[in-house]
Amino acid sequence: MIGWTVNVSLGKKTNSYTTAKGYVGLKNFRGLFQDPEFMHAFTNLLKFTGVFMIGTLISGLIMALLLEKGIKGEGFFRSIYLYPMAISFIAMGTSWRWLMDSTKGDKATGLNKIFHFAHLDFLQSNWYSSERGAMFAMAMPAIWQMSGYIMALFLAGFRGIPDDLREAARVDGASEYKIYRHILFPQLSPTFLTVLIILGHISMKVFDLIYGIASKSYVTKVLAIYMWQVIFDYQNFAKGASIAIIILLLIAVVVVPYLIYVVKTEEQK
Amino acid sequence: MSQDIVDRVASKDISRNKRSLSGTEQFWLTFKYIALCFLTLVAIAPIYIMVVNSFKGITGVSQSAAWAFPLHPNFAAWGPVWENLRGSIGRTLFFVVQSSIISAIVGSINGYVFSKWKFRGSNVIFTTFLFGMFIPYQAIMIPLTQFNHWTHLTGSIYVLVFAHVIYGIPICTLIFRNYYAAIPNEIIEAGRVDGASMVRIFRTIILPLSIPCFVVVLIWQFTSAWNDFLFAIFLTGGSPKLSVATTALNFITGSGNQVYYGNNMTASLIVSIPTLIVYVFLGRYFLRGLLSGSLKG
């Protein structure tokens, strides 16, 4: 019963300003799509999401594959890969800002310094201060933070598959590659789905990470940052709320069907 | 899903590696270790930077030498930074503890109802709850400030307690519900036959069984509330009287002042220490929270 009350309160709150905004209809939203800065933030967000999702998926999967069969020291590696999840991005931003410092050559710092040292100067980059690569650079710390989480999800997935399946395939003479390709990965499709949903919704609302590293810099602006700016610096609440609603919609479009699917399948069990 | 999710991650008997390996297998094993170690280096690099530079004093950090180990390790930067952050950290602890405890209690009650006292439409409501986990902070920010204004919460640390309790309820409910789902219904039935009420069953049977789950939820809430920045900066309006760990830290490091690198790094480290301690000592529970927040099993 308490749950119900709380739920209603939650619902009301998410909607209360939609009604208040009813006065101007959809004008705010139309305005947004004509606002170049909004579109810039939106494109940035899409770029970021693409790189972040693919990158995290791959690196998380690699970590899981490396550990999946059980290896000495697994617990240690697992904890190391997962710890970034426990730290605030405002704190890690300090380190990353330095790591991705754009100075090059002899005076280079951070990652550029390592590349210089290893005679890989061509890898030196402007990171997030360049117009073109900014969002790609920004995805790096995000990938760094989330990979461990994705690894844990995949590990759970791999280990939910009975060993017999693998053994049977091996007896039938399937190569390791084929076992993964035809037996294990198909079994993991629910895990893949979960991972994509989680990464997607985290990416849509990304804020701390980018704010912590680059503050309100134009090149790395995403929707959440722009909303922040609109509300605090321009004091335009209606516009800010519209951006928030767009973020919410972006997430809802993907998440709602997923949740309904999850609850339905659970019921059938 | 019979096997517990965390055990599944943590369990794999390594015994099969004990048999002697063929040449190719040996090669792959070595390759694996090299890859694992490389990833480890990548993973620890940022925290390494923080730790190393926090021992170099406030200004003793030249940017290009920051990879290097401190030549004269000292705590010079720690004292002043701690002075600076002390108030905010205390305040953070104050609100984080309260909000975690409240949301854990509410979550356990909700989870109990959703798993053992299903009513018409409870599944729909539960789905709505789950969606609550995915609602971006941004979407409730503005109404929340207005609400705080009406209730005269604005200007006190309780805005954050309130926000985190509300926001924590969905995930706490989910974790508790999944946990309670594993408790056999027979126990509840037996209690009912003995004439115990819903509340009584909760108090005398369910609660004593939920200690491990409380640990999971408390840790989860503690970590996420501690690390939260968006609510903190938004709801306190950046007022220094209400600064919490993350906002205070952002105030220190966000000025873009690169001279005080040691200072910045130390501050970041200090703010990260509490959650790191929790992670190191209670990592298993942390992992459980992380996984049960995503896999509905």
Side-chain angles (χ1 to χ4, degrees):
Chain A
M1 301 307 115
I2 293 174
W4 188 75
T5 327
V6 172
N7 183 46
V8 171
S9 74
L10 205 77
K12 240 186 211 152
K13 243 177 281 134
T14 24
N15 291 323
S16 65
Y17 55 83
T18 343
T19 46
K21 237 174 41 208
Y23 297 122
V24 290
L26 290 171
K27 195 172 141 246
N28 280 316
F29 290 94
R30 275 200 300 272
L32 275 183
F33 285 99
Q34 284 152 10
D35 174 357
E37 208 169 352
F38 172 83
M39 292 315 281
H40 167 74
F42 193 66
T43 337
N44 267 349
L45 183 62
L46 291 184
K47 271 193 223 161
F48 174 83
T49 307
V51 183
F52 165 67
M53 283 180 75
I54 295 171
T56 317
L57 194 66
I58 291 175
S59 65
L61 192 56
I62 289 177
M63 288 172 180
L65 282 173
L66 287 172
L67 291 175
E68 177 255 333
K69 280 187 183 164
I71 194 165
K72 265 214 187 82
E74 187 203 315
F76 167 77
F77 289 119
R78 236 188 306 119
S79 331
I80 294 280
Y81 297 159
L82 203 58
Y83 90 88
M85 283 297 292
I87 298 184
S88 150
F89 234 97
I90 299 300
M92 282 336 267
T94 325
S95 278
W96 275 102
R97 204 172 335 150
W98 178 81
L99 280 173
M100 301 200 294
D101 194 277
S102 58
T103 325
K104 291 182 194 173
D106 286 334
K107 281 196 188 141
T109 63
L111 292 174
N112 282 354
K113 173 106 176 171
I114 290 191
F115 292 143
H116 184 66
F117 190 71
H119 298 288
L120 294 167
D121 286 279
F122 62 93
L123 279 175
Q124 292 192 350
S125 155
N126 284 324
W127 304 111
Y128 62 90
S129 35
S130 78
E131 180 91 31
R132 223 161 36 100
M135 291 327 284
F136 301 98
M138 219 31 126
M140 271 188 3
I143 295 172
W144 171 81
Q145 194 188 31
M146 294 298 297
S147 294
Y149 184 17
I150 302 309
M151 169 205 71
L153 289 174
F154 274 124
L155 273 182
F158 272 123
R159 283 162 189 190
I161 304 171
D163 274 347
D164 314 3
L165 273 179
R166 244 185 253 224
E167 286 307 321
R170 218 167 270 147
V171 172
D172 288 346
S175 67
E176 282 297 304
Y177 167 75
K178 273 196 173 149
I179 294 180
Y180 278 108
R181 172 77 187 72
H182 295 293
I183 305 202
L184 299 183
F185 282 153
Q187 293 271 333
L188 281 183
S189 42
T191 314
F192 272 107
L193 185 64
T194 314
V195 165
L196 288 180
I197 297 279
I198 290 176
L199 290 180
H201 102 273
I202 288 177
S203 173
M204 286 300 150
K205 58 187 186 189
V206 60
F207 176 82
D208 300 25
L209 187 159
I210 292 179
Y211 193 83
I213 295 178
S215 196
K216 291 179 248 181
S217 142
Y218 178 78
V219 281
T220 53
K221 194 171 290 172
V222 292
L223 291 188
I225 304 263
Y226 186 45
M227 175 202 166
W228 164 263
Q229 227 175 0
V230 163
I231 291 180
F232 266 85
D233 300 350
Y234 312 150
Q235 295 286 326
N236 189 340
F237 275 57
K239 191 171 171 187
S242 321
I243 302 178
I245 286 292
I246 288 178
I247 300 177
L248 181 65
L249 284 180
L250 283 174
I251 292 174
V253 167
V254 190
V255 166
V256 170
Y258 169 73
L259 286 180
I260 292 174
Y261 161 80
V262 165
V263 174
K264 278 247 170 73
T265 44
E266 204 177 69
E267 253 171 71
Q268 282 160 7
K269 263 186 236 161
Chain B
M1 254 186 242
S2 51
Q3 207 185 344
D4 180 83
I5 186 100
V6 175
D7 293 336
R8 219 157 76 194
V9 173
S11 82
K12 193 75 184 181
D13 63 329
I14 31 181
S15 57
R16 44 165 132 163
N17 282 336
K18 297 255 167 75
R19 69 194 161 82
S20 64
L21 298 167
S22 71
T24 22
E25 279 174 319
Q26 204 111 48
F27 167 76
W28 277 110
L29 193 66
T30 322
F31 172 77
K32 266 188 187 176
Y33 272 112
I34 292 172
L36 285 169
C37 291
F38 172 73
L39 286 170
T40 305
L41 288 183
V42 175
I44 59 175
I47 195 109
Y48 166 81
I49 295 294
M50 250 159 49
V51 174
V52 165
N53 289 312
S54 73
F55 292 117
K56 291 183 184 167
I58 290 184
T59 50
V61 186
S62 90
Q63 280 214 49
S64 47
W67 283 110
F69 218 70
L71 284 175
H72 314 284
N74 64 73
F75 278 92
W78 283 66
V81 171
W82 171 245
E83 265 324 297
N84 225 334
L85 283 172
R86 206 177 50 184
S88 318
I89 289 195
R91 204 173 295 118
T92 318
L93 212 54
F94 176 78
F95 96 82
V96 164
V97 167
Q98 284 189 53
S99 68
S100 325
I101 291 175
I102 298 174
S103 43
I105 293 171
V106 178
S108 81
I109 297 171
N110 285 342
Y112 172 59
V113 173
F114 278 132
S115 65
K116 296 296 175 208
W117 297 84
K118 290 203 172 130
F119 49 95
R120 259 178 67 131
S122 66
N123 266 327
V124 178
I125 297 179
F126 183 63
T127 317
T128 327
F129 255 71
L130 289 186
F131 183 63
M133 287 192 336
F134 292 94
I135 294 177
Y137 284 11
Q138 290 89 349
I140 64 163
M141 211 76 90
I142 295 169
L144 197 57
T145 20
Q146 280 168 1
F147 179 85
N148 288 333
H149 207 71
W150 292 332
T151 50
H152 302 288
L153 276 176
T154 316
S156 83
I157 195 70
Y158 285 96
V159 290
L160 287 177
V161 176
F162 182 72
H164 282 288
V165 166
I166 293 293
Y167 231 83
I169 283 173
I171 183 131
C172 295
T173 304
L174 174 68
I175 296 177
F176 273 108
R177 175 184 170 274
N178 290 346
Y179 182 79
Y180 291 151
I183 296 177
N185 282 327
E186 286 75 24
I187 298 183
I188 313 276
E189 286 304 320
R192 261 164 115 177
V193 170
D194 290 344
S197 69
M198 176 173 159
V199 178
R200 206 184 141 87
I201 293 177
F202 180 67
R203 251 200 358 238
T204 55
I205 304 177
I206 302 289
L207 267 189
L209 287 172
S210 357
I211 307 294
C213 198
F214 267 100
V215 179
V216 172
V217 167
L218 287 175
I219 286 177
W220 179 258
Q221 283 299 98
F222 176 85
T223 312
S224 53
W226 184 282
N227 286 342
D228 162 66
F229 175 69
L230 192 48
F231 268 152
I233 191 98
F234 204 101
L235 295 177
T236 61
S239 128
K241 266 195 310 189
L242 287 179
S243 69
V244 293
T246 46
T247 53
L249 175 63
N250 187 248
F251 188 72
I252 295 176
T253 62
S255 53
N257 195 337
Q258 306 288 317
V259 181
Y260 299 110
Y261 239 77
N263 190 40
N264 291 351
M265 294 289 186
T266 314
S268 306
L269 189 60
I270 290 180
V271 168
S272 315
I273 283 177
T275 46
L276 272 181
I277 289 177
V278 169
Y279 177 72
V280 169
F281 289 102
L282 298 162
R284 209 182 144 73
Y285 294 97
F286 179 79
L287 180 63
R288 192 183 297 266
L290 207 56
L291 289 177
S292 48
S294 54
L295 290 184
K296 287 97 203 165

